[in-house]
Amino acid sequence: MDYAVQGTLDELGTPLSRLTFVVFDLETTGVSAGEHAITEIGAVKVRGGEVLGEFATLVDPGSPIPPFISVLTGITDAMVVAAPRIESVLPSFLEFAEGTTLVAHNAGFDLGFLKSACAAHGYPAPTHPVVDTVVLARKLLTRDEAPNCKLATLARIFSRTEPCHRALADAQATVDVLHALLERAGSFGVHTLEELKGFVRAPTPEQRRKRHLADTVPTGPGVYVFEDERGDPLYVGKSTNLRSRVRSYFTASETRPRIREMIGIVERVRPIVCATALEAEVRELRLIGSAKPRYNRRSRFPEKMVWLKLTDEAFPRLSVVREIRDDGAGYLGPFTSARAAEDARTALHEAIPLRQCTERITPRTRRSACALAGLGRCGAPCEGHQSVEEYGLHATAARRAMELDVTPVFSAVQKRMERLALDERYEEAAADRDRLASYVRASARMQRLRALTVIPQMVAASPAAGGGWQIHVVRHGRLASAGVMPRGAHPTPFVDALVATAETVVPGPGPVPAASAEETECILRWLETPGVRLVQVDGTWSLPIDGAGRLKARLDRAYRSSEPHQAREGRPTR
């Protein structure tokens, strides 16, 4: 007779207390594993809470380290000039990590560079089990305990080691974070590696309990609104398949802490079926902007955009404002922050000697000039040294620079940067570069927006699934109507009916007179996708010949090569 025997812990899984972890961190020259290189590797081998060994080395990346990275990490070209190359370091690290479970904070980033290095030098990709402390922290910590899951934040709570963007110190801090998180996971009955993996992937009880909310949601494109018991919007999203997207919120794939928190209080899901994916995207933006659901982060406050205004007065000046008025003034923007608008204003002042005082001046006004007049940066209309007509030439040049031709401002700031660089005043030159970038990017954005918003009506179409056509009516940059013309239908009566039932749009003042800048940019992205055809255009769709777009591309390339701004999720910007 066979008797059942109780399984041992080894048969149930691999106990975490017996696992050997290699907690590692990489410093790099940028954020792309395909384009950038490793500059430092730091790792700590631990088992059962005991440190078994450490691995640390600088790595010669084979190319100059961008100044931004050197400031962030403290690693300079001089420090790595005698360091080994990655092909010499990689075998030693792989041997150090052999047979262990790898741990990293935002493991996808570090593993991406590790796999890229292995592929480049003929080593198989690592197949180690991996634990990501970012994912684990999101599962185990509440917002009250940790406002975010950056390593610096978690280290302040769980570690005596302060992360400093040096590989070994960051790895040591991650060890303490790992131990604290594993201890907390134990209170949930997680004692083996297999249980840990299942725990991270498992949906919460609230997610399981509320799966039925997705049952009545239709398929097809549209917008979904999560509402609380009072019917107030909690979160607004869009999808090309509403039911599939809403269902995903109630599965283990949804790990965002704020969304899981939202699932705990949601009581219903309200679907809004749309004719096309573009209509869904636009409706999402409008709903977020009007309802401001507390769990949406993007697009909640379109009214907080700021503009740079050339005032409409006898002696115009540049002013940062939040509201566009029908007063004949010139505008540049929108900017996402007042700081960016200030930067653009400084760039314009470098090229055009507009007054920078804030008092209203009339031809009869007389007051003492400021220091800018003595420096030749202002013609001192306040002292009567410039007539309205003479000053008006500068105002006209400023308006042209804001709306049509960025070349004068670009040339003036570039010359100043060159002078500063020759004097080795690099930080000031970098500040001027950032101001110029703010100006050029805002100008390019506004010119692109205005090119569409000045058109009273545009009808465009793109191929739809099943052989039909998605047709949209756009008026002054606002989506006025959307529909799908079936395959084989005659286009003329369908388009005529769509135009006849489209929203009436009365434009207001400024570069975006009928919709938010984000809505118009959504429409522009759709218009620029392959396959879109223009059906009707009232007017001309064009950009200024001396517009900012050509210079924006040049600036963007310079930024990509020197300052990788993309943040590593869960960690400070690298």
Side-chain angles (χ1 to χ4, degrees):
M1 181 180 295
D2 294 331
Y3 294 94
V5 178
Q6 180 176 342
T8 66
L9 286 176
D10 288 338
E11 292 169 331
L12 294 175
T14 309
L16 294 172
S17 60
R18 300 184 188 178
L19 278 179
T20 302
F21 296 100
V22 166
V23 184
F24 77 106
D25 180 78
L26 306 180
E27 298 303 326
T28 64
T29 60
V31 296
S32 171
E35 299 177 8
H36 302 115
I38 297 169
T39 58
E40 188 177 33
I41 301 177
V44 182
K45 184 181 292 186
V46 294
R47 183 174 62 236
E50 180 183 353
V51 175
L52 305 180
E54 293 182 342
F55 182 99
T57 180
L58 290 167
V59 181
D60 179 3
S63 61
I65 299 174
F68 175 77
I69 297 296
S70 292
V71 170
L72 184 68
T73 65
I75 300 174
T76 64
D77 290 328
M79 293 170 62
V80 299
V81 69
R85 298 292 294 269
I86 188 62
E87 55 265 31
S88 302
V89 173
L90 191 58
S92 302
F93 177 73
L94 294 176
E95 182 181 356
F96 181 78
E98 185 177 0
T100 67
T101 296
L102 293 178
V103 180
H105 199 74
N106 190 26
F109 178 91
D110 299 283
L111 281 173
F113 274 89
L114 187 59
K115 290 177 180 178
S116 179
C118 288
H121 298 289
Y123 293 93
T127 57
H128 305 63
V130 177
V131 175
D132 190 334
T133 48
V134 168
V135 176
L136 197 55
R138 288 175 179 166
K139 184 75 174 179
L140 290 165
L141 303 178
T142 66
R143 281 198 173 189
D144 292 337
E145 296 173 289
N148 57 60
C149 291
K150 294 179 180 179
L151 181 59
T153 302
L154 300 182
R156 282 195 292 270
I157 302 171
F158 300 120
S159 177
R160 294 181 180 179
T161 303
E162 181 179 355
C164 57
H165 294 294
R166 293 301 301 270
L168 184 58
D170 286 11
Q172 291 168 338
T174 306
V175 169
D176 295 335
V177 171
L178 173 69
H179 286 156
L181 294 175
L182 291 182
E183 182 179 355
R184 181 163 300 196
S187 64
F188 290 90
V190 176
H191 301 291
T192 67
L193 180 61
E194 291 73 17
E195 288 171 342
L196 184 65
K197 291 180 178 179
F199 175 74
V200 170
R201 291 194 299 264
T204 65
E206 286 292 339
Q207 285 177 305
R208 289 193 293 266
R209 185 172 67 84
K210 295 185 177 180
R211 283 175 178 168
H212 68 279
L213 295 179
D215 292 345
T216 57
V217 176
T219 58
V223 176
Y224 52 90
V225 184
F226 286 97
E227 298 176 338
D228 62 16
E229 59 182 3
R230 296 182 300 179
D232 294 334
L234 298 171
Y235 184 84
V236 177
K238 69 176 188 305
S239 178
T240 55
N241 187 321
L242 284 170
R243 180 179 297 176
S244 175
R245 182 68 185 101
V246 172
R247 279 179 172 173
S248 71
Y249 285 86
F250 304 99
T251 66
S253 63
E254 180 52 75
T255 60
R256 290 172 292 177
R258 76 181 192 286
I259 297 301
R260 287 194 167 189
E261 179 183 300
M262 182 269 295
I263 293 297
I265 56 178
V266 68
E267 290 298 328
R268 65 185 64 86
V269 180
R270 176 164 59 93
I272 302 173
V273 178
C274 299
T276 67
L278 176 61
E279 182 188 2
E281 187 171 4
V282 167
R283 283 185 178 272
E284 179 199 31
L285 286 172
R286 292 179 186 175
L287 277 170
I288 293 173
S290 60
K292 296 179 174 45
R294 64 176 182 259
Y295 287 98
N296 280 97
R297 289 182 174 175
R298 184 179 63 89
S299 309
R300 285 179 63 193
F301 301 103
E303 67 276 7
K304 288 190 175 181
M305 293 286 188
V306 295
W307 299 81
L308 190 59
K309 175 180 179 178
L310 182 64
T311 58
D312 183 28
E313 53 185 313
F315 297 96
R317 58 188 176 83
L318 294 171
S319 177
V320 178
V321 299
R322 292 195 179 276
E323 182 182 358
I324 291 180
R325 297 180 179 178
D326 191 6
D327 55 5
Y331 291 90
L332 175 64
F335 297 89
T336 56
S337 68
R339 171 67 181 273
E342 292 280 3
D343 284 347
R345 177 164 62 179
T346 303
L348 271 162
H349 280 149
E350 182 64 31
I352 301 168
L354 293 174
R355 67 185 183 94
Q356 299 183 34
C357 52
T358 58
E359 298 86 356
R360 179 171 288 274
I361 300 176
T362 69
R364 297 180 180 179
T365 302
R366 290 292 185 273
R367 62 170 59 93
S368 299
C370 64
L372 291 174
L375 295 172
R377 302 288 299 276
C378 178
C382 53
E383 289 188 336
H385 295 312
Q386 279 183 317
S387 66
V388 173
E389 292 74 19
E390 291 170 332
Y391 187 89
L393 297 176
H394 298 314
T396 301
R399 189 158 190 161
R400 179 175 176 80
M402 293 166 69
E403 297 178 357
L404 297 173
D405 186 3
V406 301
T407 307
V409 177
F410 190 92
S411 299
V413 178
Q414 189 176 42
K415 287 178 181 177
R416 174 176 160 81
M417 289 167 56
E418 290 171 354
R419 291 196 302 269
L420 292 171
L422 287 173
D423 293 339
E424 298 185 355
R425 295 159 65 184
Y426 301 117
E427 290 185 0
E428 293 177 65
D432 277 339
R433 177 204 57 192
D434 293 341
R435 295 182 185 114
L436 181 61
S438 291
Y439 161 72
V440 170
R441 287 168 178 165
S443 184
R445 185 184 189 190
M446 189 182 74
Q447 289 168 5
R448 189 164 174 265
L449 290 168
R450 191 190 291 274
L452 184 60
T453 60
V454 297
I455 297 175
Q457 180 171 289
M458 174 187 287
V459 182
S462 65
W469 288 87
Q470 296 181 1
I471 300 179
H472 299 95
V473 179
V474 180
R475 291 173 174 168
H476 295 288
R478 181 180 179 88
L479 183 64
S481 186
V484 178
M485 185 180 73
R487 182 176 184 178
H490 196 287
T492 301
F494 188 91
V495 170
D496 289 345
L498 201 62
V499 169
T501 57
E503 176 188 359
T504 299
V505 177
V506 179
V512 283
S516 68
E518 281 190 281
E519 176 175 334
T520 303
E521 285 171 329
C522 285
I523 296 169
L524 282 166
R525 285 194 297 270
W526 175 76
L527 287 169
E528 293 165 354
T529 55
V532 172
R533 301 288 185 268
L534 297 182
V535 180
Q536 297 176 3
V537 180
D538 294 349
T540 302
W541 186 22
S542 63
L543 289 168
I545 191 171
D546 294 316
R550 57 194 174 88
L551 296 177
K552 176 182 178 298
R554 176 176 167 184
L555 276 169
D556 289 345
R557 285 194 299 271
Y559 268 84
R560 280 197 298 270
S561 64
S562 64
E563 294 190 9
H565 284 289
Q566 180 180 351
R568 293 171 56 176
E569 188 176 0
R571 307 190 67 169
T573 303
R574 301 295 291 252

